[in-house]
Amino acid sequence: MSKIILNAVDLDGFLTDEDKKNISDIENMYEESLRLCERIDKSGRKDEKAIEELSDSARSIGHALEEISKKNGKIHVYSFDTPDEMHAECSRIIAKLRDPKTGHEEFLYYIQRAYEMLFNHAYSDQCLKKKRSLLQETPVDIPVKNYAIHRIPDVDHLIENSVMCVMLRGALLPSMIISKEMEDFSSNGFITPFALFRIKRDETKNEKNMAYVLDLERSFFNLSELDGKDLVFADPMNATGGSLVTIVKYLKEQHIKPKSIKFLNVISALKGSLRITRAIEEAEIYTLWMDPVLNEKAYILPGLGDAGDRLNGTDEGENQRNMMQLIADYGSSIVNLYRSQVREIEKTVLG
């Protein structure tokens, strides 16, 4: 079998009655936000009362999402978990990523910042009391060669068993960023192995009957190297949860037993987050921001559009670029910054 397909109805089967009620309640709350958005748009963004009401609505929805996430226990939202004084940076990054006027290079910059914050949330913040000394040489050699000591979180025990699992294509650069963070924080320059999964949604379908297609012939991974590992998935958007569940379900059918699964997203929708944590016992979700609902095409609302296209540009028709072409299109500055990761991906793809 060269293609594995999972359908939306299979995903909804994992949700509890309480999950379904929470999703429905949030959808009803967001209906008011949509009405306010329409008023603001029609007024040319001059309806101050509607803007104030939208702010109040967003605050109420945020509190409801926070309560649901914390009760779940496996959904870790940066803007819910961290102190209030740390939220401004997170909120501004999300705002810049949402902005249609944020161009390609600036979008890449904010994605990098977002994933550095996500790494800290998923790894460093767990090790703030366990630190190691980093001896760093400096360029200064007068009167003698200078060295500096820095105390950084000791994350070796959290990352040394990791495999970076890439859900192409929007996930390619985020996966490289997280892998480099691991390299920089490790005591021995650990470079994660990579597993590359070619998976996509059937965009001819809507949210209620969506299908997720894993193309094994265009994927690159070694099953034996995934067994017993800490699998790390990094994808800017977690909308429905279907892509991750499809991959993990396939791996388990091949008798692969991950030790743990971390899913790192810039924005997660409530529905996708709940589906994943119900369907995959080992899964933990780390996200900068939680958005409330999905539209009929399974896009996140308010969302930020197609993150894959905004990261990589669009492909023409069926002529999708392969992994090496995507990396080349990032340009020399990105390739040089993540050169260790690029080499590892080349080894995985080219053998």
Side-chain angles (χ1 to χ4, degrees), residues 185-210:
F185 270 84
S186 72
S187 62
N188 59 0
F190 171 69
I191 309 295
T192 59
F194 279 80
L196 304 161
F197 298 92
R198 172 70 74 169
I199 187 162
K200 65 178 182 178
R201 306 191 318 190
D202 183 345
E203 298 295 348
T204 66
K205 298 181 179 292
N206 59 33
E207 197 269 324
K208 300 296 184 183
N209 66 357
M210 183 63 68

PDB file of all heavy atoms in Angstrom, residues 185-210:
ATOM      1  N   PHE A 185      21.678  23.768  22.410  1.00  0.00           N
ATOM      2  CA  PHE A 185      21.527  23.583  23.851  1.00  0.00           C
ATOM      3  C   PHE A 185      22.224  22.324  24.363  1.00  0.00           C
ATOM      4  O   PHE A 185      22.513  22.219  25.545  1.00  0.00           O
ATOM      5  CB  PHE A 185      20.047  23.536  24.235  1.00  0.00           C
ATOM      6  CG  PHE A 185      19.461  24.881  24.552  1.00  0.00           C
ATOM      7  CD1 PHE A 185      18.999  25.705  23.543  1.00  0.00           C
ATOM      8  CD2 PHE A 185      19.370  25.330  25.864  1.00  0.00           C
ATOM      9  CE1 PHE A 185      18.457  26.945  23.819  1.00  0.00           C
ATOM     10  CE2 PHE A 185      18.834  26.566  26.162  1.00  0.00           C
ATOM     11  CZ  PHE A 185      18.375  27.384  25.137  1.00  0.00           C
ATOM     12  N   SER A 186      22.467  21.359  23.470  1.00  0.00           N
ATOM     13  CA  SER A 186      23.055  20.094  23.937  1.00  0.00           C
ATOM     14  C   SER A 186      24.526  20.279  24.296  1.00  0.00           C
ATOM     15  O   SER A 186      25.191  21.188  23.798  1.00  0.00           O
ATOM     16  CB  SER A 186      22.921  19.020  22.852  1.00  0.00           C
ATOM     17  OG  SER A 186      23.814  19.270  21.773  1.00  0.00           O
ATOM     18  N   SER A 187      25.007  19.405  25.133  1.00  0.00           N
ATOM     19  CA  SER A 187      26.407  19.507  25.573  1.00  0.00           C
ATOM     20  C   SER A 187      27.377  18.944  24.544  1.00  0.00           C
ATOM     21  O   SER A 187      28.578  19.210  24.608  1.00  0.00           O
ATOM     22  CB  SER A 187      26.589  18.758  26.902  1.00  0.00           C
ATOM     23  OG  SER A 187      26.297  17.379  26.733  1.00  0.00           O
ATOM     24  N   ASN A 188      26.867  18.183  23.564  1.00  0.00           N
ATOM     25  CA  ASN A 188      27.756  17.529  22.596  1.00  0.00           C
ATOM     26  C   ASN A 188      27.399  17.852  21.146  1.00  0.00           C
ATOM     27  O   ASN A 188      27.803  17.137  20.227  1.00  0.00           O
ATOM     28  CB  ASN A 188      27.742  16.014  22.814  1.00  0.00           C
ATOM     29  CG  ASN A 188      26.355  15.417  22.659  1.00  0.00           C
ATOM     30  OD1 ASN A 188      25.396  16.144  22.395  1.00  0.00           O
ATOM     31  ND2 ASN A 188      26.236  14.112  22.840  1.00  0.00           N
ATOM     32  N   GLY A 189      26.594  18.924  20.914  1.00  0.00           N
ATOM     33  CA  GLY A 189      26.227  19.291  19.543  1.00  0.00           C
ATOM     34  C   GLY A 189      25.349  18.263  18.861  1.00  0.00           C
ATOM     35  O   GLY A 189      25.495  18.000  17.663  1.00  0.00           O
ATOM     36  N   PHE A 190      24.412  17.696  19.605  1.00  0.00           N
ATOM     37  CA  PHE A 190      23.541  16.640  19.088  1.00  0.00           C
ATOM     38  C   PHE A 190      22.737  17.120  17.880  1.00  0.00           C
ATOM     39  O   PHE A 190      22.078  18.154  17.918  1.00  0.00           O
ATOM     40  CB  PHE A 190      22.584  16.181  20.196  1.00  0.00           C
ATOM     41  CG  PHE A 190      21.502  15.245  19.734  1.00  0.00           C
ATOM     42  CD1 PHE A 190      21.808  13.956  19.326  1.00  0.00           C
ATOM     43  CD2 PHE A 190      20.163  15.640  19.719  1.00  0.00           C
ATOM     44  CE1 PHE A 190      20.815  13.076  18.904  1.00  0.00           C
ATOM     45  CE2 PHE A 190      19.166  14.777  19.303  1.00  0.00           C
ATOM     46  CZ  PHE A 190      19.492  13.499  18.896  1.00  0.00           C
ATOM     47  N   ILE A 191      22.812  16.362  16.783  1.00  0.00           N
ATOM     48  CA  ILE A 191      22.016  16.630  15.579  1.00  0.00           C
ATOM     49  C   ILE A 191      20.931  15.565  15.496  1.00  0.00           C
ATOM     50  O   ILE A 191      21.227  14.376  15.429  1.00  0.00           O
ATOM     51  CB  ILE A 191      22.869  16.582  14.292  1.00  0.00           C
ATOM     52  CG1 ILE A 191      24.105  17.458  14.421  1.00  0.00           C
ATOM     53  CG2 ILE A 191      22.021  16.988  13.087  1.00  0.00           C
ATOM     54  CD1 ILE A 191      23.809  18.925  14.541  1.00  0.00           C
ATOM     55  N   THR A 192      19.676  15.987  15.489  1.00  0.00           N
ATOM     56  CA  THR A 192      18.597  15.008  15.440  1.00  0.00           C
ATOM     57  C   THR A 192      18.595  14.267  14.106  1.00  0.00           C
ATOM     58  O   THR A 192      18.829  14.866  13.055  1.00  0.00           O
ATOM     59  CB  THR A 192      17.222  15.685  15.583  1.00  0.00           C
ATOM     60  OG1 THR A 192      17.052  16.629  14.523  1.00  0.00           O
ATOM     61  CG2 THR A 192      17.086  16.387  16.916  1.00  0.00           C
ATOM     62  N   PRO A 193      18.306  12.971  14.132  1.00  0.00           N
ATOM     63  CA  PRO A 193      17.952  12.295  12.880  1.00  0.00           C
ATOM     64  C   PRO A 193      16.634  12.872  12.364  1.00  0.00           C
ATOM     65  O   PRO A 193      15.858  13.450  13.136  1.00  0.00           O
ATOM     66  CB  PRO A 193      17.787  10.823  13.294  1.00  0.00           C
ATOM     67  CG  PRO A 193      18.388  10.719  14.659  1.00  0.00           C
ATOM     68  CD  PRO A 193      18.276  12.071  15.287  1.00  0.00           C
ATOM     69  N   PHE A 194      16.386  12.716  11.068  1.00  0.00           N
ATOM     70  CA  PHE A 194      15.152  13.220  10.469  1.00  0.00           C
ATOM     71  C   PHE A 194      14.352  12.081   9.842  1.00  0.00           C
ATOM     72  O   PHE A 194      14.926  11.140   9.286  1.00  0.00           O
ATOM     73  CB  PHE A 194      15.456  14.257   9.387  1.00  0.00           C
ATOM     74  CG  PHE A 194      15.745  15.628   9.915  1.00  0.00           C
ATOM     75  CD1 PHE A 194      16.991  15.946  10.433  1.00  0.00           C
ATOM     76  CD2 PHE A 194      14.759  16.616   9.911  1.00  0.00           C
ATOM     77  CE1 PHE A 194      17.263  17.216  10.929  1.00  0.00           C
ATOM     78  CE2 PHE A 194      15.020  17.883  10.401  1.00  0.00           C
ATOM     79  CZ  PHE A 194      16.273  18.192  10.904  1.00  0.00           C
ATOM     80  N   ALA A 195      13.024  12.190   9.963  1.00  0.00           N
ATOM     81  CA  ALA A 195      12.099  11.329   9.219  1.00  0.00           C
ATOM     82  C   ALA A 195      11.153  12.257   8.483  1.00  0.00           C
ATOM     83  O   ALA A 195      10.593  13.179   9.082  1.00  0.00           O
ATOM     84  CB  ALA A 195      11.336  10.413  10.167  1.00  0.00           C
ATOM     85  N   LEU A 196      10.996  12.053   7.180  1.00  0.00           N
ATOM     86  CA  LEU A 196      10.233  12.974   6.337  1.00  0.00           C
ATOM     87  C   LEU A 196       8.976  12.287   5.818  1.00  0.00           C
ATOM     88  O   LEU A 196       9.062  11.270   5.124  1.00  0.00           O
ATOM     89  CB  LEU A 196      11.100  13.439   5.169  1.00  0.00           C
ATOM     90  CG  LEU A 196      12.429  14.090   5.577  1.00  0.00           C
ATOM     91  CD1 LEU A 196      13.407  14.098   4.416  1.00  0.00           C
ATOM     92  CD2 LEU A 196      12.209  15.499   6.076  1.00  0.00           C
ATOM     93  N   PHE A 197       7.819  12.844   6.178  1.00  0.00           N
ATOM     94  CA  PHE A 197       6.536  12.257   5.795  1.00  0.00           C
ATOM     95  C   PHE A 197       5.813  13.181   4.817  1.00  0.00           C
ATOM     96  O   PHE A 197       5.518  14.327   5.148  1.00  0.00           O
ATOM     97  CB  PHE A 197       5.660  12.038   7.030  1.00  0.00           C
ATOM     98  CG  PHE A 197       6.243  11.084   8.030  1.00  0.00           C
ATOM     99  CD1 PHE A 197       7.029  11.556   9.077  1.00  0.00           C
ATOM    100  CD2 PHE A 197       6.024   9.724   7.928  1.00  0.00           C
ATOM    101  CE1 PHE A 197       7.576  10.683  10.007  1.00  0.00           C
ATOM    102  CE2 PHE A 197       6.569   8.840   8.851  1.00  0.00           C
ATOM    103  CZ  PHE A 197       7.353   9.323   9.894  1.00  0.00           C
ATOM    104  N   ARG A 198       5.515  12.674   3.641  1.00  0.00           N
ATOM    105  CA  ARG A 198       4.770  13.455   2.660  1.00  0.00           C
ATOM    106  C   ARG A 198       3.281  13.221   2.920  1.00  0.00           C
ATOM    107  O   ARG A 198       2.726  12.198   2.559  1.00  0.00           O
ATOM    108  CB  ARG A 198       5.139  13.029   1.240  1.00  0.00           C
ATOM    109  CG  ARG A 198       4.288  13.650   0.159  1.00  0.00           C
ATOM    110  CD  ARG A 198       4.533  15.138  -0.038  1.00  0.00           C
ATOM    111  NE  ARG A 198       5.800  15.381  -0.708  1.00  0.00           N
ATOM    112  CZ  ARG A 198       6.181  16.558  -1.186  1.00  0.00           C
ATOM    113  NH1 ARG A 198       5.371  17.597  -1.065  1.00  0.00           N
ATOM    114  NH2 ARG A 198       7.362  16.717  -1.756  1.00  0.00           N
ATOM    115  N   ILE A 199       2.664  14.180   3.594  1.00  0.00           N
ATOM    116  CA  ILE A 199       1.247  14.050   3.914  1.00  0.00           C
ATOM    117  C   ILE A 199       0.536  15.344   3.551  1.00  0.00           C
ATOM    118  O   ILE A 199       1.102  16.439   3.682  1.00  0.00           O
ATOM    119  CB  ILE A 199       1.044  13.704   5.409  1.00  0.00           C
ATOM    120  CG1 ILE A 199      -0.432  13.404   5.679  1.00  0.00           C
ATOM    121  CG2 ILE A 199       1.576  14.801   6.326  1.00  0.00           C
ATOM    122  CD1 ILE A 199      -0.677  12.656   6.963  1.00  0.00           C
ATOM    123  N   LYS A 200      -0.689  15.221   3.062  1.00  0.00           N
ATOM    124  CA  LYS A 200      -1.451  16.421   2.713  1.00  0.00           C
ATOM    125  C   LYS A 200      -2.937  16.156   2.893  1.00  0.00           C
ATOM    126  O   LYS A 200      -3.394  15.000   2.924  1.00  0.00           O
ATOM    127  CB  LYS A 200      -1.167  16.850   1.271  1.00  0.00           C
ATOM    128  CG  LYS A 200      -1.623  15.850   0.217  1.00  0.00           C
ATOM    129  CD  LYS A 200      -1.331  16.386  -1.175  1.00  0.00           C
ATOM    130  CE  LYS A 200      -1.819  15.424  -2.259  1.00  0.00           C
ATOM    131  NZ  LYS A 200      -1.585  15.948  -3.616  1.00  0.00           N
ATOM    132  N   ARG A 201      -3.684  17.250   3.028  1.00  0.00           N
ATOM    133  CA  ARG A 201      -5.128  17.154   3.085  1.00  0.00           C
ATOM    134  C   ARG A 201      -5.692  17.165   1.667  1.00  0.00           C
ATOM    135  O   ARG A 201      -5.098  17.744   0.763  1.00  0.00           O
ATOM    136  CB  ARG A 201      -5.722  18.340   3.863  1.00  0.00           C
ATOM    137  CG  ARG A 201      -5.127  18.491   5.230  1.00  0.00           C
ATOM    138  CD  ARG A 201      -5.858  19.484   6.117  1.00  0.00           C
ATOM    139  NE  ARG A 201      -6.292  20.720   5.491  1.00  0.00           N
ATOM    140  CZ  ARG A 201      -6.758  21.757   6.184  1.00  0.00           C
ATOM    141  NH1 ARG A 201      -6.855  21.673   7.507  1.00  0.00           N
ATOM    142  NH2 ARG A 201      -7.129  22.865   5.575  1.00  0.00           N
ATOM    143  N   ASP A 202      -6.827  16.539   1.504  1.00  0.00           N
ATOM    144  CA  ASP A 202      -7.545  16.599   0.222  1.00  0.00           C
ATOM    145  C   ASP A 202      -8.345  17.897   0.209  1.00  0.00           C
ATOM    146  O   ASP A 202      -9.426  17.984   0.816  1.00  0.00           O
ATOM    147  CB  ASP A 202      -8.469  15.386   0.093  1.00  0.00           C
ATOM    148  CG  ASP A 202      -9.176  15.348  -1.249  1.00  0.00           C
ATOM    149  OD1 ASP A 202      -9.175  16.369  -1.959  1.00  0.00           O
ATOM    150  OD2 ASP A 202      -9.746  14.292  -1.589  1.00  0.00           O
ATOM    151  N   GLU A 203      -7.809  18.927  -0.446  1.00  0.00           N
ATOM    152  CA  GLU A 203      -8.415  20.257  -0.400  1.00  0.00           C
ATOM    153  C   GLU A 203      -9.722  20.357  -1.186  1.00  0.00           C
ATOM    154  O   GLU A 203     -10.377  21.399  -1.168  1.00  0.00           O
ATOM    155  CB  GLU A 203      -7.411  21.304  -0.909  1.00  0.00           C
ATOM    156  CG  GLU A 203      -6.140  21.417  -0.065  1.00  0.00           C
ATOM    157  CD  GLU A 203      -6.398  21.916   1.353  1.00  0.00           C
ATOM    158  OE1 GLU A 203      -7.519  22.399   1.619  1.00  0.00           O
ATOM    159  OE2 GLU A 203      -5.493  21.817   2.202  1.00  0.00           O
ATOM    160  N   THR A 204     -10.127  19.277  -1.876  1.00  0.00           N
ATOM    161  CA  THR A 204     -11.428  19.303  -2.543  1.00  0.00           C
ATOM    162  C   THR A 204     -12.554  19.024  -1.553  1.00  0.00           C
ATOM    163  O   THR A 204     -13.732  19.213  -1.880  1.00  0.00           O
ATOM    164  CB  THR A 204     -11.493  18.245  -3.663  1.00  0.00           C
ATOM    165  OG1 THR A 204     -11.428  16.928  -3.092  1.00  0.00           O
ATOM    166  CG2 THR A 204     -10.353  18.430  -4.649  1.00  0.00           C
ATOM    167  N   LYS A 205     -12.190  18.596  -0.335  1.00  0.00           N
ATOM    168  CA  LYS A 205     -13.203  18.252   0.665  1.00  0.00           C
ATOM    169  C   LYS A 205     -13.311  19.364   1.706  1.00  0.00           C
ATOM    170  O   LYS A 205     -12.431  20.237   1.806  1.00  0.00           O
ATOM    171  CB  LYS A 205     -12.842  16.922   1.335  1.00  0.00           C
ATOM    172  CG  LYS A 205     -12.805  15.745   0.358  1.00  0.00           C
ATOM    173  CD  LYS A 205     -12.468  14.454   1.064  1.00  0.00           C
ATOM    174  CE  LYS A 205     -12.450  13.275   0.102  1.00  0.00           C
ATOM    175  NZ  LYS A 205     -13.784  12.961  -0.425  1.00  0.00           N
ATOM    176  N   ASN A 206     -14.383  19.329   2.499  1.00  0.00           N
ATOM    177  CA  ASN A 206     -14.539  20.331   3.538  1.00  0.00           C
ATOM    178  C   ASN A 206     -14.204  19.745   4.909  1.00  0.00           C
ATOM    179  O   ASN A 206     -13.822  18.570   5.012  1.00  0.00           O
ATOM    180  CB  ASN A 206     -15.951  20.936   3.518  1.00  0.00           C
ATOM    181  CG  ASN A 206     -17.031  19.884   3.724  1.00  0.00           C
ATOM    182  OD1 ASN A 206     -16.834  18.909   4.440  1.00  0.00           O
ATOM    183  ND2 ASN A 206     -18.177  20.081   3.092  1.00  0.00           N
ATOM    184  N   GLU A 207     -14.379  20.546   5.942  1.00  0.00           N
ATOM    185  CA  GLU A 207     -13.946  20.135   7.282  1.00  0.00           C
ATOM    186  C   GLU A 207     -14.665  18.879   7.756  1.00  0.00           C
ATOM    187  O   GLU A 207     -14.070  18.030   8.418  1.00  0.00           O
ATOM    188  CB  GLU A 207     -14.186  21.294   8.265  1.00  0.00           C
ATOM    189  CG  GLU A 207     -13.411  21.134   9.574  1.00  0.00           C
ATOM    190  CD  GLU A 207     -14.185  20.395  10.638  1.00  0.00           C
ATOM    191  OE1 GLU A 207     -15.412  20.571  10.711  1.00  0.00           O
ATOM    192  OE2 GLU A 207     -13.572  19.620  11.401  1.00  0.00           O
ATOM    193  N   LYS A 208     -15.924  18.708   7.376  1.00  0.00           N
ATOM    194  CA  LYS A 208     -16.718  17.587   7.888  1.00  0.00           C
ATOM    195  C   LYS A 208     -16.350  16.255   7.252  1.00  0.00           C
ATOM    196  O   LYS A 208     -16.536  15.198   7.867  1.00  0.00           O
ATOM    197  CB  LYS A 208     -18.214  17.858   7.656  1.00  0.00           C
ATOM    198  CG  LYS A 208     -18.732  19.118   8.348  1.00  0.00           C
ATOM    199  CD  LYS A 208     -18.637  18.998   9.860  1.00  0.00           C
ATOM    200  CE  LYS A 208     -19.256  20.229  10.532  1.00  0.00           C
ATOM    201  NZ  LYS A 208     -19.110  20.183  12.002  1.00  0.00           N
ATOM    202  N   ASN A 209     -15.827  16.283   6.012  1.00  0.00           N
ATOM    203  CA  ASN A 209     -15.494  15.018   5.343  1.00  0.00           C
ATOM    204  C   ASN A 209     -14.041  14.989   4.856  1.00  0.00           C
ATOM    205  O   ASN A 209     -13.712  14.264   3.926  1.00  0.00           O
ATOM    206  CB  ASN A 209     -16.454  14.750   4.185  1.00  0.00           C
ATOM    207  CG  ASN A 209     -16.306  15.760   3.045  1.00  0.00           C
ATOM    208  OD1 ASN A 209     -15.524  16.702   3.140  1.00  0.00           O
ATOM    209  ND2 ASN A 209     -17.056  15.552   1.977  1.00  0.00           N
ATOM    210  N   MET A 210     -13.188  15.784   5.505  1.00  0.00           N
ATOM    211  CA  MET A 210     -11.789  15.893   5.093  1.00  0.00           C
ATOM    212  C   MET A 210     -11.086  14.535   5.100  1.00  0.00           C
ATOM    213  O   MET A 210     -11.353  13.679   5.952  1.00  0.00           O
ATOM    214  CB  MET A 210     -11.060  16.857   6.031  1.00  0.00           C
ATOM    215  CG  MET A 210      -9.610  17.125   5.663  1.00  0.00           C
ATOM    216  SD  MET A 210      -9.453  17.934   4.058  1.00  0.00           S
ATOM    217  CE  MET A 210     -10.165  19.537   4.413  1.00  0.00           C
TER     218      MET A 210
END
